[in-house]
PDB file of all heavy atoms in Angstrom:
ATOM      1  N   ALA I   1      29.481 115.258 126.019  1.00 95.00           N
ATOM      2  CA  ALA I   1      28.713 116.254 125.203  1.00 95.00           C
ATOM      3  C   ALA I   1      28.911 117.694 125.860  1.00 95.00           C
ATOM      4  O   ALA I   1      29.093 118.640 125.229  1.00 95.00           O
ATOM      5  CB  ALA I   1      27.356 115.887 125.090  1.00 95.00           C
ATOM      6  N   ALA I   2      28.715 117.618 127.222  1.00 95.00           N
ATOM      7  CA  ALA I   2      28.801 118.981 127.982  1.00 95.00           C
ATOM      8  C   ALA I   2      30.236 119.466 127.820  1.00 95.00           C
ATOM      9  O   ALA I   2      30.394 120.690 127.804  1.00 95.00           O
ATOM     10  CB  ALA I   2      28.394 118.716 129.406  1.00 95.00           C
ATOM     11  N   CYS I   3      31.221 118.676 128.015  1.00 96.00           N
ATOM     12  CA  CYS I   3      32.605 119.158 127.877  1.00 96.00           C
ATOM     13  C   CYS I   3      32.887 119.733 126.531  1.00 96.00           C
ATOM     14  O   CYS I   3      33.537 120.734 126.307  1.00 96.00           O
ATOM     15  CB  CYS I   3      33.595 117.981 128.132  1.00 96.00           C
ATOM     16  SG  CYS I   3      33.721 117.640 129.931  1.00 96.00           S
ATOM     17  N   GLU I   4      32.409 119.123 125.407  1.00 96.00           N
ATOM     18  CA  GLU I   4      32.615 119.543 124.078  1.00 96.00           C
ATOM     19  C   GLU I   4      31.892 120.893 123.872  1.00 96.00           C
ATOM     20  O   GLU I   4      32.424 121.837 123.277  1.00 96.00           O
ATOM     21  CB  GLU I   4      32.041 118.547 123.069  1.00 96.00           C
ATOM     22  CG  GLU I   4      32.875 117.241 122.989  1.00 96.00           C
ATOM     23  CD  GLU I   4      32.165 116.199 122.136  1.00 96.00           C
ATOM     24  OE1 GLU I   4      31.114 116.465 121.680  1.00 96.00           O
ATOM     25  OE2 GLU I   4      32.854 115.133 121.899  1.00 96.00           O
ATOM     26  N   ALA I   5      30.675 121.016 124.461  1.00 94.00           N
ATOM     27  CA  ALA I   5      29.917 122.304 124.325  1.00 94.00           C
ATOM     28  C   ALA I   5      30.668 123.429 125.120  1.00 94.00           C
ATOM     29  O   ALA I   5      30.666 124.560 124.693  1.00 94.00           O
ATOM     30  CB  ALA I   5      28.520 122.116 124.842  1.00 94.00           C
ATOM     31  N   ALA I   6      31.261 123.124 126.184  1.00 94.00           N
ATOM     32  CA  ALA I   6      31.911 124.150 127.132  1.00 94.00           C
ATOM     33  C   ALA I   6      33.387 124.308 126.642  1.00 94.00           C
ATOM     34  O   ALA I   6      33.984 125.265 127.209  1.00 94.00           O
ATOM     35  CB  ALA I   6      31.846 123.690 128.522  1.00 94.00           C
ATOM     36  N   GLY I   7      33.910 123.497 125.761  1.00 95.00           N
ATOM     37  CA  GLY I   7      35.279 123.671 125.375  1.00 95.00           C
ATOM     38  C   GLY I   7      36.233 123.210 126.466  1.00 95.00           C
ATOM     39  O   GLY I   7      37.384 123.794 126.554  1.00 95.00           O
ATOM     40  N   VAL I   8      35.901 122.298 127.343  1.00 96.00           N
ATOM     41  CA  VAL I   8      36.708 121.838 128.451  1.00 96.00           C
ATOM     42  C   VAL I   8      37.337 120.486 128.178  1.00 96.00           C
ATOM     43  O   VAL I   8      36.591 119.567 127.771  1.00 96.00           O
ATOM     44  CB  VAL I   8      35.919 121.819 129.746  1.00 96.00           C
ATOM     45  CG1 VAL I   8      36.742 121.232 130.928  1.00 96.00           C
ATOM     46  CG2 VAL I   8      35.421 123.169 130.139  1.00 96.00           C
ATOM     47  N   PRO I   9      38.678 120.284 128.328  1.00 96.00           N
ATOM     48  CA  PRO I   9      39.271 119.026 128.074  1.00 96.00           C
ATOM     49  C   PRO I   9      38.668 117.967 129.052  1.00 96.00           C
ATOM     50  O   PRO I   9      38.492 118.255 130.269  1.00 96.00           O
ATOM     51  CB  PRO I   9      40.802 119.291 128.386  1.00 96.00           C
ATOM     52  CG  PRO I   9      40.936 120.785 128.260  1.00 96.00           C
ATOM     53  CD  PRO I   9      39.664 121.357 128.621  1.00 96.00           C
ATOM     54  N   LEU I  10      38.455 116.756 128.453  1.00 97.00           N
ATOM     55  CA  LEU I  10      37.911 115.685 129.363  1.00 97.00           C
ATOM     56  C   LEU I  10      38.855 114.499 129.368  1.00 97.00           C
ATOM     57  O   LEU I  10      39.467 114.026 128.358  1.00 97.00           O
ATOM     58  CB  LEU I  10      36.563 115.286 128.622  1.00 97.00           C
ATOM     59  CG  LEU I  10      35.981 113.942 129.257  1.00 97.00           C
ATOM     60  CD1 LEU I  10      35.553 114.228 130.747  1.00 97.00           C
ATOM     61  CD2 LEU I  10      34.810 113.454 128.441  1.00 97.00           C
ATOM     62  N   LEU I  11      39.047 113.942 130.563  1.00 97.00           N
ATOM     63  CA  LEU I  11      39.773 112.729 130.723  1.00 97.00           C
ATOM     64  C   LEU I  11      38.782 111.669 131.323  1.00 97.00           C
ATOM     65  O   LEU I  11      38.107 111.870 132.285  1.00 97.00           O
ATOM     66  CB  LEU I  11      40.867 112.898 131.757  1.00 97.00           C
ATOM     67  CG  LEU I  11      41.963 113.875 131.489  1.00 97.00           C
ATOM     68  CD1 LEU I  11      42.964 114.025 132.657  1.00 97.00           C
ATOM     69  CD2 LEU I  11      42.741 113.559 130.175  1.00 97.00           C
ATOM     70  N   ARG I  12      38.731 110.490 130.679  1.00 97.00           N
ATOM     71  CA  ARG I  12      37.891 109.448 131.190  1.00 97.00           C
ATOM     72  C   ARG I  12      38.747 108.474 131.963  1.00 97.00           C
ATOM     73  O   ARG I  12      39.733 107.838 131.428  1.00 97.00           O
ATOM     74  CB  ARG I  12      37.255 108.675 129.990  1.00 97.00           C
ATOM     75  CG  ARG I  12      36.551 107.369 130.324  1.00 97.00           C
ATOM     76  CD  ARG I  12      35.407 107.558 131.353  1.00 97.00           C
ATOM     77  NE  ARG I  12      34.856 106.282 131.631  1.00 97.00           N
ATOM     78  CZ  ARG I  12      33.990 106.022 132.711  1.00 97.00           C
ATOM     79  NH1 ARG I  12      33.868 107.006 133.651  1.00 97.00           N
ATOM     80  NH2 ARG I  12      33.546 104.839 132.855  1.00 97.00           N
ATOM     81  N   LEU I  13      38.372 108.247 133.195  1.00 96.00           N
ATOM     82  CA  LEU I  13      39.092 107.329 134.132  1.00 96.00           C
ATOM     83  C   LEU I  13      38.440 106.006 133.894  1.00 96.00           C
ATOM     84  O   LEU I  13      37.308 105.729 134.343  1.00 96.00           O
ATOM     85  CB  LEU I  13      39.075 107.808 135.582  1.00 96.00           C
ATOM     86  CG  LEU I  13      40.087 107.167 136.638  1.00 96.00           C
ATOM     87  CD1 LEU I  13      40.040 108.031 137.814  1.00 96.00           C
ATOM     88  CD2 LEU I  13      39.769 105.745 136.935  1.00 96.00           C
ATOM     89  N   LYS I  14      39.198 105.064 133.433  1.00 92.00           N
ATOM     90  CA  LYS I  14      38.658 103.735 133.156  1.00 92.00           C
ATOM     91  C   LYS I  14      39.161 102.647 133.970  1.00 92.00           C
ATOM     92  O   LYS I  14      40.457 102.461 134.161  1.00 92.00           O
ATOM     93  CB  LYS I  14      39.023 103.299 131.615  1.00 92.00           C
ATOM     94  CG  LYS I  14      38.439 101.975 131.158  1.00 92.00           C
ATOM     95  CD  LYS I  14      38.949 101.735 129.736  1.00 92.00           C
ATOM     96  CE  LYS I  14      38.463 100.307 129.370  1.00 92.00           C
ATOM     97  NZ  LYS I  14      38.941  99.971 127.934  1.00 92.00           N
ATOM     98  N   ARG I  15      38.356 101.855 134.540  1.00 87.00           N
ATOM     99  CA  ARG I  15      38.798 100.730 135.410  1.00 87.00           C
ATOM    100  C   ARG I  15      39.318  99.574 134.508  1.00 87.00           C
ATOM    101  O   ARG I  15      38.837  99.386 133.418  1.00 87.00           O
ATOM    102  CB  ARG I  15      37.538 100.097 136.160  1.00 87.00           C
ATOM    103  CG  ARG I  15      37.179 100.916 137.322  1.00 87.00           C
ATOM    104  CD  ARG I  15      36.061 100.127 138.145  1.00 87.00           C
ATOM    105  NE  ARG I  15      35.665 100.916 139.325  1.00 87.00           N
ATOM    106  CZ  ARG I  15      34.700 100.550 140.192  1.00 87.00           C
ATOM    107  NH1 ARG I  15      33.929  99.471 139.861  1.00 87.00           N
ATOM    108  NH2 ARG I  15      34.412 101.244 141.153  1.00 87.00           N
ATOM    109  N   ASP I  16      40.238  98.852 134.999  1.00 85.00           N
ATOM    110  CA  ASP I  16      40.841  97.753 134.249  1.00 85.00           C
ATOM    111  C   ASP I  16      39.669  96.618 134.241  1.00 85.00           C
ATOM    112  O   ASP I  16      38.922  96.509 135.319  1.00 85.00           O
ATOM    113  CB  ASP I  16      42.008  97.125 135.017  1.00 85.00           C
ATOM    114  CG  ASP I  16      43.227  98.062 134.933  1.00 85.00           C
ATOM    115  OD1 ASP I  16      43.253  98.844 133.979  1.00 85.00           O
ATOM    116  OD2 ASP I  16      44.067  97.923 135.823  1.00 85.00           O
ATOM    117  N   GLU I  17      39.620  96.016 133.058  1.00 84.00           N
ATOM    118  CA  GLU I  17      38.627  94.949 133.031  1.00 84.00           C
ATOM    119  C   GLU I  17      39.152  93.614 133.639  1.00 84.00           C
ATOM    120  O   GLU I  17      40.325  93.401 133.747  1.00 84.00           O
ATOM    121  CB  GLU I  17      38.343  94.667 131.509  1.00 84.00           C
ATOM    122  CG  GLU I  17      37.578  95.790 130.856  1.00 84.00           C
ATOM    123  CD  GLU I  17      37.118  95.474 129.500  1.00 84.00           C
ATOM    124  OE1 GLU I  17      36.750  94.415 129.169  1.00 84.00           O
ATOM    125  OE2 GLU I  17      36.991  96.449 128.670  1.00 84.00           O
ATOM    126  N   SER I  18      38.241  92.822 134.149  1.00 86.00           N
ATOM    127  CA  SER I  18      38.586  91.572 134.896  1.00 86.00           C
ATOM    128  C   SER I  18      38.505  90.409 133.973  1.00 86.00           C
ATOM    129  O   SER I  18      37.989  90.336 132.800  1.00 86.00           O
ATOM    130  CB  SER I  18      37.638  91.309 136.039  1.00 86.00           C
ATOM    131  OG  SER I  18      37.471  92.403 136.847  1.00 86.00           O
ATOM    132  N   GLU I  19      39.275  89.344 134.391  1.00 86.00           N
ATOM    133  CA  GLU I  19      39.236  88.044 133.713  1.00 86.00           C
ATOM    134  C   GLU I  19      38.005  87.300 133.994  1.00 86.00           C
ATOM    135  O   GLU I  19      37.637  87.092 135.139  1.00 86.00           O
ATOM    136  CB  GLU I  19      40.462  87.223 134.126  1.00 86.00           C
ATOM    137  CG  GLU I  19      40.478  85.866 133.487  1.00 86.00           C
ATOM    138  CD  GLU I  19      40.495  85.822 132.037  1.00 86.00           C
ATOM    139  OE1 GLU I  19      41.435  86.434 131.421  1.00 86.00           O
ATOM    140  OE2 GLU I  19      39.520  85.342 131.455  1.00 86.00           O
ATOM    141  N   THR I  20      37.176  86.979 132.908  1.00 89.00           N
ATOM    142  CA  THR I  20      35.886  86.362 133.178  1.00 89.00           C
ATOM    143  C   THR I  20      35.814  84.976 132.600  1.00 89.00           C
ATOM    144  O   THR I  20      34.784  84.331 132.492  1.00 89.00           O
ATOM    145  CB  THR I  20      34.738  87.189 132.514  1.00 89.00           C
ATOM    146  OG1 THR I  20      35.027  87.340 131.092  1.00 89.00           O
ATOM    147  CG2 THR I  20      34.588  88.580 133.094  1.00 89.00           C
ATOM    148  N   ALA I  21      37.002  84.399 132.440  1.00 86.00           N
ATOM    149  CA  ALA I  21      37.092  83.007 131.916  1.00 86.00           C
ATOM    150  C   ALA I  21      36.364  82.105 133.005  1.00 86.00           C
ATOM    151  O   ALA I  21      36.587  82.153 134.186  1.00 86.00           O
ATOM    152  CB  ALA I  21      38.500  82.556 131.735  1.00 86.00           C
ATOM    153  N   GLY I  22      35.468  81.112 132.532  1.00 90.00           N
ATOM    154  CA  GLY I  22      34.764  80.280 133.343  1.00 90.00           C
ATOM    155  C   GLY I  22      33.452  80.786 133.789  1.00 90.00           C
ATOM    156  O   GLY I  22      32.599  80.029 134.398  1.00 90.00           O
ATOM    157  N   ALA I  23      33.172  82.011 133.472  1.00 96.00           N
ATOM    158  CA  ALA I  23      31.827  82.625 133.829  1.00 96.00           C
ATOM    159  C   ALA I  23      30.992  82.662 132.545  1.00 96.00           C
ATOM    160  O   ALA I  23      31.450  82.625 131.436  1.00 96.00           O
ATOM    161  CB  ALA I  23      31.969  84.015 134.378  1.00 96.00           C
ATOM    162  N   ARG I  24      29.673  82.733 132.739  1.00 97.00           N
ATOM    163  CA  ARG I  24      28.712  82.884 131.721  1.00 97.00           C
ATOM    164  C   ARG I  24      28.546  84.422 131.460  1.00 97.00           C
ATOM    165  O   ARG I  24      28.175  85.126 132.445  1.00 97.00           O
ATOM    166  CB  ARG I  24      27.400  82.267 131.901  1.00 97.00           C
ATOM    167  CG  ARG I  24      27.393  80.650 131.996  1.00 97.00           C
ATOM    168  CD  ARG I  24      26.036  80.049 132.091  1.00 97.00           C
ATOM    169  NE  ARG I  24      26.198  78.621 132.162  1.00 97.00           N
ATOM    170  CZ  ARG I  24      26.153  77.820 131.101  1.00 97.00           C
ATOM    171  NH1 ARG I  24      26.143  78.378 129.912  1.00 97.00           N
ATOM    172  NH2 ARG I  24      26.249  76.519 131.192  1.00 97.00           N
ATOM    173  N   VAL I  25      28.794  84.931 130.284  1.00 96.00           N
ATOM    174  CA  VAL I  25      28.723  86.378 130.120  1.00 96.00           C
ATOM    175  C   VAL I  25      27.557  86.728 129.229  1.00 96.00           C
ATOM    176  O   VAL I  25      27.275  86.049 128.231  1.00 96.00           O
ATOM    177  CB  VAL I  25      29.947  86.831 129.372  1.00 96.00           C
ATOM    178  CG1 VAL I  25      29.946  88.329 129.156  1.00 96.00           C
ATOM    179  CG2 VAL I  25      31.248  86.471 130.239  1.00 96.00           C
ATOM    180  N   PHE I  26      26.808  87.689 129.697  1.00 97.00           N
ATOM    181  CA  PHE I  26      25.576  88.157 129.024  1.00 97.00           C
ATOM    182  C   PHE I  26      25.724  89.617 128.632  1.00 97.00           C
ATOM    183  O   PHE I  26      26.363  90.442 129.337  1.00 97.00           O
ATOM    184  CB  PHE I  26      24.369  87.972 129.861  1.00 97.00           C
ATOM    185  CG  PHE I  26      24.158  86.461 130.187  1.00 97.00           C
ATOM    186  CD1 PHE I  26      24.723  85.900 131.306  1.00 97.00           C
ATOM    187  CD2 PHE I  26      23.345  85.713 129.373  1.00 97.00           C
ATOM    188  CE1 PHE I  26      24.512  84.634 131.550  1.00 97.00           C
ATOM    189  CE2 PHE I  26      23.135  84.405 129.709  1.00 97.00           C
ATOM    190  CZ  PHE I  26      23.754  83.839 130.850  1.00 97.00           C
ATOM    191  N   ALA I  27      24.898  90.072 127.599  1.00 95.00           N
ATOM    192  CA  ALA I  27      25.087  91.455 127.228  1.00 95.00           C
ATOM    193  C   ALA I  27      24.339  92.378 128.128  1.00 95.00           C
ATOM    194  O   ALA I  27      24.772  93.546 128.257  1.00 95.00           O
ATOM    195  CB  ALA I  27      24.531  91.605 125.763  1.00 95.00           C
ATOM    196  N   ASP I  28      23.393  91.867 128.848  1.00 95.00           N
ATOM    197  CA  ASP I  28      22.574  92.732 129.710  1.00 95.00           C
ATOM    198  C   ASP I  28      21.773  91.899 130.765  1.00 95.00           C
ATOM    199  O   ASP I  28      21.891  90.587 130.720  1.00 95.00           O
ATOM    200  CB  ASP I  28      21.657  93.655 128.965  1.00 95.00           C
ATOM    201  CG  ASP I  28      20.739  92.930 127.937  1.00 95.00           C
ATOM    202  OD1 ASP I  28      20.446  91.689 128.231  1.00 95.00           O
ATOM    203  OD2 ASP I  28      20.269  93.446 126.966  1.00 95.00           O
ATOM    204  N   ALA I  29      21.088  92.559 131.663  1.00 96.00           N
ATOM    205  CA  ALA I  29      20.334  91.835 132.690  1.00 96.00           C
ATOM    206  C   ALA I  29      19.188  91.079 132.093  1.00 96.00           C
ATOM    207  O   ALA I  29      18.958  89.937 132.649  1.00 96.00           O
ATOM    208  CB  ALA I  29      19.839  92.874 133.723  1.00 96.00           C
ATOM    209  N   ALA I  30      18.645  91.489 130.999  1.00 96.00           N
ATOM    210  CA  ALA I  30      17.577  90.788 130.469  1.00 96.00           C
ATOM    211  C   ALA I  30      18.068  89.386 129.890  1.00 96.00           C
ATOM    212  O   ALA I  30      17.258  88.356 130.014  1.00 96.00           O
ATOM    213  CB  ALA I  30      16.964  91.623 129.237  1.00 96.00           C
ATOM    214  N   GLY I  31      19.224  89.466 129.341  1.00 97.00           N
ATOM    215  CA  GLY I  31      19.837  88.139 128.866  1.00 97.00           C
ATOM    216  C   GLY I  31      20.111  87.186 129.922  1.00 97.00           C
ATOM    217  O   GLY I  31      19.742  85.993 129.843  1.00 97.00           O
ATOM    218  N   ALA I  32      20.578  87.668 131.101  1.00 98.00           N
ATOM    219  CA  ALA I  32      20.895  86.819 132.160  1.00 98.00           C
ATOM    220  C   ALA I  32      19.535  86.237 132.725  1.00 98.00           C
ATOM    221  O   ALA I  32      19.497  85.031 133.070  1.00 98.00           O
ATOM    222  CB  ALA I  32      21.631  87.576 133.239  1.00 98.00           C
ATOM    223  N   ALA I  33      18.600  87.093 132.876  1.00 97.00           N
ATOM    224  CA  ALA I  33      17.315  86.665 133.438  1.00 97.00           C
ATOM    225  C   ALA I  33      16.686  85.602 132.566  1.00 97.00           C
ATOM    226  O   ALA I  33      16.089  84.609 132.979  1.00 97.00           O
ATOM    227  CB  ALA I  33      16.351  87.878 133.651  1.00 97.00           C
ATOM    228  N   GLN I  34      16.706  85.812 131.233  1.00 97.00           N
ATOM    229  CA  GLN I  34      16.128  84.777 130.326  1.00 97.00           C
ATOM    230  C   GLN I  34      16.868  83.462 130.489  1.00 97.00           C
ATOM    231  O   GLN I  34      16.087  82.452 130.460  1.00 97.00           O
ATOM    232  CB  GLN I  34      16.292  85.276 128.860  1.00 97.00           C
ATOM    233  CG  GLN I  34      15.640  84.342 127.857  1.00 97.00           C
ATOM    234  CD  GLN I  34      15.826  84.912 126.466  1.00 97.00           C
ATOM    235  OE1 GLN I  34      16.608  85.830 126.163  1.00 97.00           O
ATOM    236  NE2 GLN I  34      14.997  84.395 125.533  1.00 97.00           N
TER     237      GLN I  34
END
């Protein structure tokens, strides 16, 4: 939002996602805790 307001080009550096096969995947900490 700040870049759009200032008119500055933005690059998002994204990490590669990992292979999670075999793990239990939850949307958030609350789901894991439950």
Side-chain angles (χ1 to χ4, degrees):
C3 286
E4 290 175 354
V8 175
L10 172 66
L11 301 176
R12 169 59 178 162
L13 198 165
K14 181 183 177 183
R15 283 183 178 176
D16 292 336
E17 295 187 27
S18 302
E19 176 57 61
T20 57
R24 293 187 181 274
V25 180
F26 298 87
D28 52 28
Q34 184 178 16

